[in-house]
Amino acid sequence: MTSRRRTGPPVALPTAAELDILAVLWRLGMATVREVHDELGKDNGYTTTLKQMQLMLEKGLLSRSERFGSQVYQASVPKEQTQREIAGDLLKRAFGGSALSLVMGALAAQPASREELEEIRSRLETFVKRKGKSR
Amino acid sequence: MNALYLFSSAPWAERLGWTLLHFLWQGLLIAVLYMAVLRLMARSSSPNTRYLLACATLAIMLAAPLVTWSLIQPEAPRSNASESIHGAAANAPTIAIATTSVPIPVRPAASRLEPAQFLPWVVVAWLAGALVFSMRLAGGWLVAARMRSTLVRFAPAEWQEVLSQLGARIGLSRPVRLLVSALVQVPTVVGWLRPVVLMPVGALSGLPVDYLEALLLHELAHIRRCDYLVNIFQSVAEALLFYHPAVWWVSGQIRSERELCCDDAAVSVSGDSLTYASALVRLESCRPPSFSPAVAANGGSLAKRVARLLGQPQPAAPAQMGPSLLAAAVLLAVAWVSIAPSLAQSRQTQPQAPAAGPEFEVASVKQLDQTLNPNKPGGMDLSFVGTSGKAFKISGSRVTITASLHSLISAAYGVKSYQISGTPSWADSLIYQVIAKAPGDGEPTQEKARPMLQSLLADRFQLRLHHETKDLPVYHMTIGKKSSAFKPAAPDETFHWELEPGPGGTMRSKATKESMGDFVQLVGVSADRPVIDKTGLTGDIDYEINYGTQDVRNIDDMNRAIIDAIKDQLGLKLEPAKDSIDTLVVDQAQKPSEN
């Protein structure tokens, strides 16, 4: 079965089980299958959750991206937000950039360009090779 | 603009404005010194030393305006020239004549760009900017704080354990919570009192263990060094001094050195700089790529860090200083233009031209053939123009004054005769007639005419003077005993003064409804010191004295005789004293050319 991503609205309403998964993802923002499964804490096996989430992906209820080599899922159906959540969202939109300059990240806020990254990677590899040779 | 005017007259507003302007050159100076020290240190420095140096520089930059603020004295209220006698008792009588509030002008003409004009704008602009930046800071802080609780979950227990162990190795005593957050792209530290490390989703399962440990060490190093707190202070400095590019530059230096410090700290614990460098590179690759063709704002910071970790020569720092230096130079120029004129102003020993205020439309100044002959008592009639204004004849829009230059100055600035010094010898004897027309149709008041007269004196007589406070020996005039020869004038009287020979070779000076001011001046003319009225009398008086005997040979004898008569016959006392008196010192005066 090929995984096709639907961009339109979901065909059918989510089932109860699917709602549970959506609830988890709404709370966590984005998560791996493993994390969702752990949160659900159900008796089902991990594979069941995996299959379910893949199905939801096809249905268009979820979207998927890759983070650090893992598959990470997000809800593509927005939750009805409470006032508080809307306010929080607005805050984040207004002051998100300012917040980034206050927290300590391992890397600079601005990502490096593709060329730069290539250059750095090649440097690193050259170094490793040279080091390997000198052993 | 009314609100602005009111605002600008608030005493602290001007002080704040100057403080802000002065920081333009102070900030640049501090930045230049910082660069010099940096260059001196160059080879032998560690990131930590440079970090501390940059922090100290920023702290000095924050301190500079505070120092400036305390050094700028609040503007002293302009003294009322004719009444500013310090050290006088609080019950100093007010002389009932028009005590003008025309201050002695010591500021140059308003035609030059007055800093006082744009200073309120400076303060308003700064307040607006500081407010915007502060709000940004507050909002950002709020959002950052919420990152600890929004869209987060606990990391797996085993990783929490790893973090605790790493914390112990780097020398942290506090426990640090490890969380997984959907909001961050890279490992991040939030908070300083109860700091948390936020890991991006998928990182803990996707990255190799040794990479993760290296990255966690970096974050723990931030916590151990209290970097979060220092960063907040930086943000406060940036909000308050947002208008100076040097502040932003130094703050950026602090941030970049800080990362290097944490790199070093992490490597010193893990012992493996290659793994650490690889971790950074892998982390960067896993981020959503940047699609902008231009170099990132922190251009080359990752390249620099990696090169340093590998012990390779670092790539040349991008020439970002150029535009900043240019901006700073522009600011400096602005500062110079705005501050320099006022520096010239504040040096009060410079002779100044009076303010170019209202001027007469037309005026003629003619020297009369008469001179003030002190030996002719009648000549005294013209000498007290003073503050009585009697010789100020104003009819319609035409103003006529006949007086010596000394008296003209006295009339124009509303000061007493003894408050003027430095006049040339001819200023007391030559008499001038000034006939002038005030602008407009209405009849000007004396108050309005005075500044016009000041302009005229500056123009026609090239009069330049400055304001000095001197301790002068004076007399305090008080009422000794009641005398019938000296009494308040009756209300229905009119002014009359006569001087005629009296009995026994004396001269009799008799006046009705003379103002106290004029009388005091009369006494002052004859006394060898200025006379300050301490009688407490307001209103007009009548008096009569008979003075002089055959023994009067010269002016000094006559003056002495007058003073004796005043004391004896009018029952007045003249007590010697020393008062601090505001005086006008004439720097320059020339006889006017015929016009």
Side-chain angles (χ1 to χ4, degrees):
Chain A
M1 195 159 54
T2 50
S3 310
R4 285 165 307 155
R5 290 263 305 276
R6 288 213 195 148
T7 48
V11 172
L13 291 171
T15 64
E18 286 170 346
L19 266 176
D20 287 340
I21 293 176
L22 277 175
V24 169
L25 284 175
W26 281 328
R27 201 175 68 243
L28 298 183
M30 63 174 76
T32 59
V33 179
R34 163 67 45 193
E35 287 173 321
V36 173
H37 179 79
D38 290 341
E39 288 289 317
L40 286 176
K42 286 198 181 142
D43 300 332
N44 316 346
Y46 169 81
T47 358
T48 318
T49 316
L50 175 61
K51 282 215 170 87
Q52 231 166 357
M53 287 177 74
Q54 280 174 338
L55 191 60
M56 284 169 81
L57 182 67
E58 276 206 21
K59 275 180 159 182
L61 291 168
L62 301 181
S63 63
R64 185 172 64 189
S65 55
E66 190 176 302
R67 298 289 160 98
F68 303 100
S70 316
Q71 304 285 314
V72 170
Y73 288 80
Q74 270 173 295
S76 60
V77 186
K79 174 185 172 211
E80 262 180 44
Q81 294 189 304
T82 62
Q83 295 273 30
R84 223 161 148 261
E85 283 164 337
I86 292 173
D89 205 37
L90 282 174
L91 255 184
K92 195 167 136 229
R93 252 182 257 258
F95 298 112
S98 172
L100 276 180
S101 63
L102 285 175
V103 300
M104 310 266 100
L107 295 175
Q110 289 271 51
S113 67
R114 212 176 315 195
E115 297 82 26
E116 240 199 328
L117 199 52
E118 281 304 315
E119 214 229 290
I120 298 172
R121 259 213 282 250
S122 64
R123 253 181 204 256
L124 199 52
E125 277 163 34
T126 327
F127 182 85
V128 171
K129 287 201 189 101
R130 233 182 268 149
K131 213 173 155 215
K133 281 196 187 133
S134 66
R135 283 210 190 119
Chain B
M1 286 300 117
N2 253 342
L4 192 70
Y5 180 73
L6 283 172
F7 176 76
S8 68
S9 57
W12 55 267
E14 205 175 315
R15 211 168 161 197
L16 181 62
W18 285 120
T19 306
L20 294 171
L21 281 178
H22 277 297
F23 183 69
L24 286 174
W25 63 265
Q26 289 167 345
L28 192 63
L29 183 67
I30 297 172
V32 166
L33 284 173
Y34 164 70
M35 268 197 279
V37 176
L38 213 56
R39 208 146 291 208
L40 279 173
M41 287 165 62
R43 294 294 142 212
S44 59
S45 59
S46 68
N48 202 32
T49 322
R50 293 198 298 269
Y51 172 77
L52 291 172
L53 176 68
C55 286
T57 307
L58 194 65
I60 295 174
M61 281 180 172
L62 260 179
L66 294 174
V67 171
T68 315
W69 171 270
S70 62
L71 285 179
I72 295 179
Q73 294 306 317
E75 170 101 354
R78 298 237 188 106
S79 52
N80 186 338
S82 55
E83 285 298 302
S84 56
I85 294 165
H86 308 283
N91 58 356
T94 49
I95 299 183
I97 346 155
T99 53
T100 152
S101 58
V102 171
I104 299 174
V106 291
R107 306 234 125 86
S111 56
R112 220 191 299 180
L113 182 65
E114 276 272 352
Q117 287 172 355
F118 66 77
L119 218 52
W121 289 108
V122 165
V123 175
V124 166
W126 176 81
L127 276 176
L131 195 68
V132 166
F133 275 96
S134 302
M135 278 169 57
R136 252 190 98 238
L137 177 60
W141 187 82
L142 207 64
V143 171
R146 287 177 89 253
M147 278 165 79
R148 304 156 64 120
S149 47
T150 318
L151 300 181
V152 296
R153 61 283 211 173
F154 292 126
E158 63 266 23
W159 279 108
Q160 181 68 62
E161 182 58 34
V162 168
L163 188 69
S164 306
Q165 285 175 3
L166 290 174
R169 278 167 71 186
I170 206 168
L172 263 183
S173 47
R174 278 171 297 167
V176 179
R177 178 78 74 193
L178 185 66
L179 299 172
V180 174
S181 165
L183 294 172
V184 297
Q185 289 182 341
V186 298
T188 308
V189 170
V190 182
W192 61 280
L193 207 51
R194 285 167 304 142
V196 299
V197 173
L198 302 175
M199 293 300 284
V201 175
L204 286 175
S205 44
L207 290 172
V209 172
D210 48 355
Y211 283 13
L212 283 168
E213 284 189 355
L215 295 170
L216 285 174
L217 278 172
H218 178 97
E219 299 308 313
L220 290 170
H222 276 309
I223 296 175
R224 196 195 70 192
R225 294 159 45 87
C226 302
D227 286 340
Y228 196 80
L229 195 58
V230 175
N231 196 31
I232 289 185
F233 283 131
Q234 280 179 261
S235 304
V236 170
E238 286 167 353
L240 291 177
L241 301 170
F242 63 90
Y243 60 95
H244 206 305
V247 170
W248 291 94
W249 178 63
V250 173
S251 197
Q253 293 285 96
I254 295 179
R255 290 203 173 96
S256 47
E257 295 298 340
R258 168 189 293 146
E259 293 307 313
L260 300 183
C261 290
C262 288
D263 286 346
D264 286 351
V267 167
S268 72
V269 169
S270 73
D272 188 351
S273 56
L274 178 58
T275 309
Y276 181 77
S278 310
L280 286 178
V281 176
R282 170 76 90 91
L283 187 65
E284 183 75 35
S285 335
C286 291
R287 276 168 102 165
S290 152
F291 293 111
S292 61
V295 172
N298 285 331
S301 73
L302 181 64
K304 193 170 153 203
R305 284 166 77 186
V306 169
R308 208 179 134 260
L309 288 163
L310 301 181
Q312 294 169 348
Q314 293 166 39
Q320 283 177 350
M321 275 302 296
S324 308
L325 273 180
L326 185 66
V330 167
L331 278 177
L332 192 69
V334 168
W336 182 250
V337 163
S338 55
I339 295 179
S342 83
L343 282 180
Q345 284 176 29
S346 61
R347 264 178 275 142
Q348 291 193 348
T349 52
Q350 300 263 5
Q352 306 285 345
E359 287 181 76
F360 290 118
E361 251 179 76
V362 275
S364 81
V365 179
K366 213 165 58 165
Q367 181 185 333
L368 300 182
D369 288 333
Q370 299 167 264
T371 56
L372 271 186
N373 189 343
N375 288 327
K376 273 174 72 180
M380 282 199 271
D381 189 14
L382 297 169
S383 76
F384 38 76
V385 171
T387 51
S388 71
K390 285 205 183 59
F392 245 105
K393 287 195 185 55
I394 302 178
S395 71
S397 63
R398 175 195 261 229
V399 178
T400 314
I401 314 169
T402 310
S404 62
L405 174 62
H406 196 107
S407 302
L408 284 172
I409 300 176
S410 181
Y413 290 92
V415 297
K416 309 247 181 17
S417 176
Y418 60 80
Q419 286 177 274
I420 305 167
S421 61
T423 50
S425 53
W426 52 266
D428 291 315
S429 52
L430 297 179
I431 304 177
Y432 295 90
Q433 185 176 57
V434 174
I435 304 176
K437 185 188 174 307
D441 296 328
E443 187 169 324
T445 59
Q446 273 187 47
E447 270 68 40
K448 286 216 170 59
R450 285 186 210 282
M452 298 187 211
L453 185 57
Q454 291 170 18
S455 305
L456 182 143
L457 291 176
D459 185 34
R460 298 295 172 88
F461 289 85
Q462 296 301 309
L463 182 70
R464 301 285 179 270
L465 38 72
H466 70 268
H467 178 60
E468 250 185 66
T469 309
K470 293 187 180 177
D471 274 351
L472 295 180
V474 298
Y475 284 125
H476 287 175
M477 185 171 82
T478 53
I479 299 183
K481 59 180 192 314
K482 254 182 148 357
S483 162
S484 59
F486 181 78
K487 54 187 190 296
D492 57 334
E493 283 175 324
T494 51
F495 170 75
H496 180 72
W497 178 73
E498 62 191 30
L499 185 67
E500 59 198 20
T506 61
M507 292 298 289
R508 174 165 45 184
S509 172
K510 180 174 171 181
T512 47
K513 204 174 167 65
E514 174 155 302
S515 65
M516 271 305 288
D518 287 348
F519 176 72
V520 169
Q521 276 218 273
L522 166 68
V523 179
V525 164
S526 296
D528 53 333
R529 295 183 180 194
V531 177
I532 316 286
D533 183 9
K534 300 275 189 202
T535 60
L537 289 175
T538 56
D540 302 336
I541 48 149
D542 299 339
Y543 71 86
E544 181 186 340
I545 51 170
N546 294 297
Y547 65 88
T549 64
Q550 316 297 75
D551 295 333
V552 170
R553 297 270 176 262
N554 54 32
I555 183 67
D556 288 335
D557 288 343
M558 188 178 75
N559 282 333
R560 263 192 293 273
I562 293 175
I563 295 296
D564 287 339
I566 286 174
K567 285 191 202 168
D568 294 341
Q569 299 167 32
L570 302 184
L572 295 171
K573 287 207 300 191
L574 292 175
E575 288 158 33
K578 218 160 184 208
D579 279 340
S580 190
I581 295 185
D582 283 345
T583 63
L584 285 174
V585 181
V586 172
D587 299 298
Q588 179 189 322
Q590 289 166 24
K591 298 184 194 174
S593 53
E594 284 297 316
N595 54 303

